[in-house]
């Protein structure tokens, strides 16, 4: 089963879907992801395939997780508005402010939909920059590539945290909770496998993450 099919009756895409990077190698790894996901074994699906380059694996999966959250958030756009979500939060204890270090250097408070818009624009810019995510087979990845990937994953996690804390009732009404939970488990297992997010950042969803770590 692929998580990225457009056919679900409740799914709308927030923005155009990105394709796998790095030419033919990227597409080969994407097919491997789809095949292992189809087996239903998420723990196996996140592992680096034998003989494959770690950066290539991180790159292809980063695109896939971007697409997953793009689709998931698309189902909620009419419910996640500046009026319903004036801040980007994950429950009463956690609030996220936006800064990209370039256009917005100091963190600013924005609504949840504006935060997600800024985030997706920023991630797309990283994915489209061939100096960061090379498209040609054999082209080198930058020395700071893992740091860029970690920042992307940290910020994508915040979208999951907001969805669970602010919109889970809507997800249930749309009958998408199984899909959301599977996507989040896949995301979490990949994050833990490659240590992409500090544990403190995962705190808003610790009650969901701890059973995943324990293999429940």
């Amino acid at each position: 089963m692929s998580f990225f099919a457009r056919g679900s009756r409740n799914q709308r895409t927030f923005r155009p879907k990105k394709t796998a990077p790095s030419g033919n190698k990227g597409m080969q790894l994407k097919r491997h992801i789809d095949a292992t996901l189809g087996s239903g074994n998420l723990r196996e699906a996140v592992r680096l395939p034998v003989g494959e380059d770690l950066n290539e694996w991180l790159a292809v999966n980063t695109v896939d997780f971007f697409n997953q959250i793009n689709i998931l958030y698309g189902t909620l756009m009419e419910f996640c508005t500046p009026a319903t979500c004036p801040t980007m939060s994950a429950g009463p204890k956690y609030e996220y402010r936006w800064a990209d270090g370039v256009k917005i250097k100091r963190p600013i408070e924005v609504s949840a939909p504006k935060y997600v818009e800024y985030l997706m624009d920023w991630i797309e810019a990283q994915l489209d920059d061939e100096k960061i995510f090379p498209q040609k087979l054999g082209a080198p990845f930058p020395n700071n590539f893992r740091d860029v990937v970690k920042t992307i994953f940290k910020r994508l996690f915040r979208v999951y945290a907001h969805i669970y804390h602010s919109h889970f009732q809507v997800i249930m009404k749309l009958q998408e909770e199984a899909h959301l939970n599977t996507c989040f488990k896949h995301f979490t297992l990949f994050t833990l496998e490659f240590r992409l997010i500090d544990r403190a950042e995962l705190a808003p969803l610790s009650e969901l993450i701890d059973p995943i770590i324990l293999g429940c």
Side-chain angles (χ1 to χ4, degrees):
M1 159 180 116
S2 173
F3 291 139
F4 317 115
R6 295 176 182 265
S8 172
R9 60 187 173 82
N10 287 324
Q11 289 180 350
R12 293 176 302 162
T13 305
F14 182 42
R15 56 187 60 215
K17 191 172 162 184
K18 305 298 289 186
T19 55
S22 305
N24 291 334
K25 170 60 76 173
M27 292 308 298
Q28 289 172 11
L29 290 175
K30 177 66 174 72
R31 285 194 290 271
H32 175 86
I33 293 170
D34 287 344
T36 50
L37 287 177
S39 73
N41 188 337
L42 292 177
R43 292 183 185 278
E44 182 64 29
V46 302
R47 293 193 182 108
L48 177 67
V50 176
E52 297 295 348
D53 179 74
L54 174 59
N55 285 338
E56 292 272 7
W57 186 239
L58 292 174
V60 172
N61 279 277
T62 298
V63 173
D64 268 359
F65 286 119
F66 170 81
N67 285 332
Q68 276 187 28
I69 296 182
N70 173 20
I71 291 171
L72 283 167
Y73 188 74
T75 69
L76 298 170
M77 287 177 63
E78 65 185 283
F79 308 103
C80 185
T81 68
T84 61
C85 304
T87 60
M88 180 62 175
S89 61
K93 293 183 179 179
Y94 302 96
E95 179 181 314
Y96 304 114
R97 300 190 175 194
W98 178 258
D100 59 16
V102 180
K103 295 180 180 179
I104 302 174
K105 296 186 177 181
R106 293 185 177 181
I108 59 172
E109 181 178 318
V110 294
S111 68
K114 182 53 106 175
Y115 185 100
V116 175
E117 180 184 339
Y118 278 141
L119 172 59
M120 297 306 182
D121 285 346
W122 177 80
I123 293 176
E124 280 197 311
Q126 310 308 302
L127 298 180
D128 290 341
D129 187 341
E130 292 199 27
K131 294 179 181 178
I132 301 174
F133 283 81
Q135 295 294 318
K136 295 180 181 178
L137 184 62
F141 287 86
N143 292 332
N144 69 333
F145 180 69
R146 185 178 178 87
D147 291 333
V148 173
V149 169
K150 289 178 72 173
T151 300
I152 291 173
F153 272 75
K154 177 179 71 175
R155 291 175 171 176
L156 286 177
F157 170 82
R158 295 172 178 178
V159 181
Y160 272 119
H162 178 72
I163 289 173
Y164 272 108
H165 278 278
S166 299
H167 301 294
F168 193 67
Q169 293 301 316
V170 172
I171 290 287
M172 291 181 68
K173 288 180 181 177
L174 295 174
Q175 298 182 332
E176 293 286 353
E177 65 268 27
H179 176 72
L180 171 64
N181 291 338
T182 300
C183 288
F184 180 66
K185 183 176 182 179
H186 181 205
F187 178 87
T188 299
L189 288 171
F190 191 87
T191 295
L192 295 172
E193 178 78 9
F194 299 103
R195 300 179 182 179
L196 298 176
I197 304 177
D198 294 338
R199 286 301 299 272
E201 285 280 344
L202 300 174
L205 294 180
S206 60
E207 291 184 3
L208 294 177
I209 293 170
D210 289 346
I212 294 174
I213 294 174
L214 295 173
C216 297

